[in-house]
Amino acid sequence: MPAEGSTDGDGHGAPDHRITLLGPQREPVVDEVMRSLGLEGARVATITAGWRDRERDDTVLVDQLGGRCVNLHLWQRMQQIWEEDPELERADRRRRQVLTEMQELYLIGLQKAVEACTRIRGHQPRDARVHRMAVEDVLEIIRELDERHVQRVGEVNEEFFATHEPQHRDPVVRGRHEVGHLVGECEAVVIAGGHVGVLLGTLHMFDLAPVLATAVPDPRDPRGVHARVDRPVLAWGAGAMAITERVVLFYDDSVVAPGVAEVLMDGLGLTRGLVALPSATDRLDIKDPDRMRTLTHRCQPRVALPLDPGDRVTLTADGRVPEGTRVFGPDGTVTRYAAPVAAPSTAATSADPSTTPGEEDA
């Protein structure tokens, strides 16, 4: 993909910029990826806010990008906003406290539901149909818990922005203008990992979604649009999670984590139909078919996308997983992605043969 982009054949004449998701960068290959994308020598905006107070420790990343980069310093800018607007800082701290308690209580219920699912699946069935229905019922309860939690988190965030209107406060307005200007001078954006909650908080505060992408009409999407990035975006770890539609935290080792995957919140929504799972092989017990089936069921209709060391996935122009990508299938095993074929809508085709049939959930 040339750095200057090419005209995409979707009828919108938009440059064919893409999102590229990478595996963990403990042994960085960002320079190699940039070269392969035709971006060698490009000026790059970097986001390392997920590293929090280590945000400026980006020497390795700067070297990988040949020094032609500018760190947006979103975490530092956030601290400056809190210093200049203590009222907003108190309100945001309260919002985060509420979200933390919500996550804790959701997790208590979720653990019980997942435990029930495990016990039901381990039950020796006397009637296969009865057993199958019981598994389906508890999986639906888990999905309802996930969806209700995400909805309530969204409501808390919406209430914060509606009540305290950070978008009208001088420090935020100034910060958004400065960040937008810096991104506008760059040809690509790189988003590193770290703490996904902190990263998402800064991305929302500085309203990066419309800075990074433009809404394009899409009859396949339930919302009628998809996000098309305005310049190439590279992301890994928490950065990859943050730009997707749904952020899922996961770590099957119950010694160091809850031992059950938990939905955190919706991400920026720059991608379509996928859940990013960084370091999946290290963090998931992929040899446990029941756990993996439960995880992929909860991700549906989105595709569970593992991002392991050495992985590199360049999404389609509309932010979807390309054909042949390594994913976790519905049964939890590793497979190659094949896009679902949407069935024609009888009503639509009878009324207008040129109407795009149906909507594609994935």
Side-chain angles (χ1 to χ4, degrees):
M1 181 178 66
E4 66 274 12
S6 58
T7 301
D8 187 81
D10 65 355
H12 301 288
D16 188 19
H17 298 313
R18 306 290 180 101
I19 295 171
T20 298
L21 305 179
L22 304 178
Q25 293 300 294
R26 289 184 288 271
E27 297 181 5
V29 294
V30 174
D31 54 346
E32 299 175 13
V33 175
M34 294 290 285
R35 280 195 297 271
S36 70
L37 294 175
L39 293 167
E40 187 175 18
R43 183 167 174 79
V44 180
T46 64
I47 298 174
T48 58
W51 300 349
R52 293 178 281 190
D53 56 350
R54 294 178 46 250
E55 181 179 53
R56 289 180 172 272
D57 297 343
D58 60 353
T59 304
V60 174
L61 182 56
V62 171
D63 290 344
Q64 288 275 303
L65 295 171
R68 289 184 54 80
C69 57
V70 54
N71 194 319
L72 299 182
H73 292 138
L74 299 185
W75 188 83
Q76 179 185 356
R77 292 176 187 274
M78 184 81 89
Q79 310 315 304
Q80 292 173 345
I81 288 174
W82 298 157
E83 291 179 7
E84 296 180 38
D85 194 334
E87 179 185 56
L88 185 62
E89 188 276 333
R90 287 192 296 271
D92 189 68
R93 179 160 23 98
R94 173 58 182 162
R95 176 187 67 88
R96 286 181 277 121
Q97 290 170 344
V98 170
L99 291 178
T100 297
E101 184 173 13
M102 287 174 61
Q103 195 74 25
E104 292 170 349
L105 297 178
Y106 151 72
L107 184 57
I108 291 173
L110 179 64
Q111 286 174 316
K112 292 297 183 182
V114 170
E115 178 185 348
C117 185
T118 301
R119 292 181 60 187
I120 291 172
R121 275 188 163 142
H123 173 77
Q124 186 63 38
R126 296 185 293 277
D127 185 301
R129 176 172 167 270
V130 170
H131 186 255
R132 183 179 66 254
M133 289 191 299
V135 171
E136 291 172 351
D137 286 347
V138 74
L139 285 174
E140 189 58 31
I141 290 171
I142 293 171
R143 284 176 60 90
E144 288 178 2
L145 283 171
D146 291 342
E147 295 301 322
R148 191 175 299 122
H149 176 66
V150 169
Q151 178 183 349
R152 289 175 176 170
V153 168
E155 290 170 354
V156 169
N157 288 331
E158 288 172 7
E159 181 182 11
F160 168 79
F161 278 90
T163 302
H164 302 284
E165 299 186 313
Q167 67 274 20
H168 297 313
R169 294 173 180 259
D170 288 344
V172 178
V173 172
R174 185 168 59 252
R176 289 184 175 185
H177 175 75
E178 292 171 353
V179 169
H181 179 72
L182 290 173
V183 173
E185 292 183 329
C186 293
E187 299 159 87
V189 176
V190 167
I191 309 176
H195 190 293
V196 67
V198 171
L199 177 58
L200 266 173
T202 60
L203 293 174
H204 284 305
M205 183 60 69
F206 292 100
D207 201 23
L208 261 293
V211 174
L212 298 178
T214 301
V216 175
D218 183 355
R220 297 183 302 166
D221 194 286
R223 289 173 289 188
V225 297
H226 71 255
R228 184 178 293 271
V229 290
D230 298 324
R231 50 187 55 77
V233 174
L234 272 68
W236 61 88
M241 300 168 79
I243 64 176
T244 62
E245 301 160 279
R246 178 67 53 87
V247 177
V248 176
L249 307 179
F250 59 99
Y251 208 138
D252 283 348
D253 185 351
S254 59
V255 175
V256 297
V260 56
E262 51 183 304
V263 175
L264 182 65
M265 64 179 75
D266 283 338
L268 288 193
L270 303 189
T271 68
R272 283 294 176 269
L274 67 95
V275 174
L277 303 175
S279 301
T281 301
D282 289 342
R283 293 172 174 265
L284 293 172
D285 186 359
I286 61 176
K287 295 182 180 179
D288 186 330
D290 287 343
R291 292 180 75 104
M292 293 302 298
R293 278 198 298 269
T294 300
L295 175 63
T296 55
H297 181 86
R298 293 171 64 193
C299 289
Q300 290 176 0
R302 302 174 183 89
V303 178
L305 176 65
L307 294 169
D308 289 315
D311 281 346
R312 167 187 163 184
V313 180
T314 297
L315 304 180
T316 63
D318 58 354
R320 298 176 187 272
V321 174
E323 295 272 350
T325 299
R326 186 176 68 97
V327 299
F328 292 124
D331 63 354
T333 62
V334 175
T335 186
R336 294 290 171 179
Y337 178 67
V341 178
S345 169
T346 304
T349 53
S350 61
D352 182 1
S354 65
T355 304
T356 302
E359 290 179 345
E360 182 181 321
D361 289 334

